[in-house]
Amino acid sequence: MSTVESPSVTGPSVNASYALAVLSATAEAGTGGADFRAIPADRLEYGEMRALWDEVLAAGDAGPHTGLLVGDRMRPDGLHILGHLILTCASLADAARAAERYHPLVSQAGTVTLHRPGGAGRICYRPTVGPPAMHHQQVEAVVSSMVRAARWIAGDDWTPLAVSFAHPRAGAAEPYARVFGCPVTFDAPENAITVAGEDLDRRRPLYDPELNGLHRAYADRLLHQLSATAPTVTERVRQWLEHAALADAGPEGPARHLNLSVRTLRRALHAEGTSWRALLDSARHGRARRLLETTALPLDRIAPLIGLSGATALVRAFTRWEGMPPGAYRSRHRGRG
């Protein structure tokens, strides 16, 4: 396996400790055959984590249950501060809420949510990257690691009421029953662990709120740093558009670049107060200005370069953007020069 260089965080990322834990678990299980590599000290871009899984699953001794077994062998340090925080939580419900808040510290490629419509609760995992970008076995590793983490609190003999996966089953059913100890369904509406209400609320007899508070404070600090340094989806799409051929640019391009589905990309942009259409329009505006300022290209040559049908469409769009037609803008700019 080749060396991974330390990346900048420009898309969904995964904590390097989780990548190391995946490699360690495959070595313990005798599956996957992956070699240890020079993992960066901080985070990996999600595409690199996916490449690591590609290599693990392509090895000759990997099988359909590799992801399941990897998650079941997860240790607290594999989840970085979240693992140690879970160890000090007062109850499973407290741990599930911690996972809900702090999961981005482990991975930004999915979300964890706790739902309690009645007595029982559902701890759900939803990938935020498009289905082609995440192996089903990666999902199984996450869900089985969540059950393993629950057992750090509730004991090794604890079992959930049920587990479900949104993808079809691969391989025999027995390993799932052995790892989870409960009914497991596939092709379900969601990836979820169903937990009895009394199990969620049962408080641990030995609970140190001060130690838990220290872990939470550190996790909050890391979460703030992550949100401050990681560009928004809007910023990443703008960066992609800076170098894109606008003549045929569609949302599929940046979605593929960011390892997102088009639907997830659109939802993320909407949540950030913008849209693909607005960002594309802004990119066309900026590209048109630069071409008018730096070239002598006629309008009918500029229009297709920014994805417009012709000079008339360019005049109409540019007048909307600048309050003047492109010819007047070019003359004014040259006059200033």
Side-chain angles (χ1 to χ4, degrees):
M1 293 172 69
S2 59
T3 298
V4 174
E5 297 180 356
S6 181
S8 58
V9 181
T10 58
S13 66
V14 176
N15 197 297
S17 64
Y18 183 73
L20 285 169
V22 168
L23 292 178
S24 177
T26 57
E28 284 183 20
T31 60
D35 297 323
F36 282 91
R37 58 168 76 188
I39 295 289
D42 189 8
R43 300 182 76 87
L44 292 78
E45 287 191 45
Y46 176 72
E48 293 181 287
M49 189 66 191
R50 166 61 191 246
L52 184 151
W53 273 101
D54 285 341
E55 294 189 40
V56 165
L57 297 176
D61 50 1
H65 305 105
T66 295
L68 178 75
L69 299 176
V70 163
D72 190 46
R73 286 169 171 79
M74 194 62 58
R75 299 188 181 98
D77 57 353
L79 303 182
H80 200 252
I81 182 58
L82 177 59
H84 298 287
L85 175 56
I86 286 172
L87 285 173
T88 63
C89 282
S91 65
L92 285 181
D94 189 28
R97 285 189 288 267
E100 193 171 41
R101 175 171 173 78
Y102 298 111
H103 183 74
L105 295 177
V106 178
S107 171
Q108 294 174 303
T111 60
V112 175
T113 52
L114 171 63
H115 302 279
R116 298 197 68 177
R122 294 191 330 279
I123 305 169
C124 303
Y125 175 72
R126 182 178 67 84
T128 53
V129 297
M134 183 174 284
H135 286 292
H136 293 168
Q137 295 217 41
Q138 288 178 261
V139 175
E140 293 184 7
V142 171
V143 173
S144 59
S145 72
M146 289 164 62
V147 172
R148 172 51 56 197
R151 287 172 176 153
W152 301 337
I153 297 176
D156 287 340
D157 59 348
W158 176 82
T159 60
L161 295 178
V163 168
S164 64
F165 291 103
H167 56 261
R169 193 184 83 203
E174 188 276 331
Y176 296 98
R178 174 163 40 85
V179 167
F180 295 123
C182 68
V184 182
T185 58
F186 295 84
D187 291 313
E190 59 189 355
N191 307 301
I193 303 163
T194 304
V195 184
E198 58 269 26
D199 287 351
L200 280 170
D201 296 327
R202 186 179 299 114
R203 291 182 68 82
R204 303 175 71 183
L206 299 176
Y207 166 61
D208 186 339
E210 291 187 8
L211 182 58
N212 181 260
L214 288 173
H215 286 317
R216 285 182 187 274
Y218 180 47
D220 280 328
R221 188 161 70 249
L222 292 179
L223 197 63
H224 175 74
Q225 291 172 359
L226 182 64
S227 62
T229 58
T232 63
V233 172
T234 298
E235 290 168 340
R236 297 198 293 269
V237 171
R238 283 197 181 111
Q239 291 168 4
W240 184 88
L241 283 165
E242 276 291 314
H243 307 286
L246 299 182
D248 55 359
E252 299 80 9
R256 186 166 53 252
H257 177 70
L258 299 177
N259 291 309
L260 301 174
S261 68
V262 172
R263 182 179 180 185
T264 299
L265 175 75
R266 291 187 185 278
R267 277 203 309 264
L269 294 176
H270 178 74
E272 294 174 6
T274 187
S275 66
W276 163 252
R277 185 182 295 275
L279 293 178
L280 179 60
D281 190 63
S282 177
R284 285 172 170 163
H285 178 194
R287 188 80 57 91
R289 286 182 56 172
R290 287 195 297 275
L291 289 170
L292 289 167
E293 292 169 5
T294 61
T295 76
L297 289 172
L299 300 188
D300 60 356
R301 292 275 305 281
I302 291 176
L305 293 177
I306 65 170
L308 296 179
S309 58
T312 301
L314 173 58
V315 170
R316 188 164 51 244
F318 200 86
T319 302
R320 171 171 57 84
W321 293 327
E322 292 287 336
M324 66 178 73
Y329 178 87
R330 175 176 268 169
S331 297
R332 177 177 292 187
H333 179 78
R334 288 180 174 173
R336 289 173 180 169

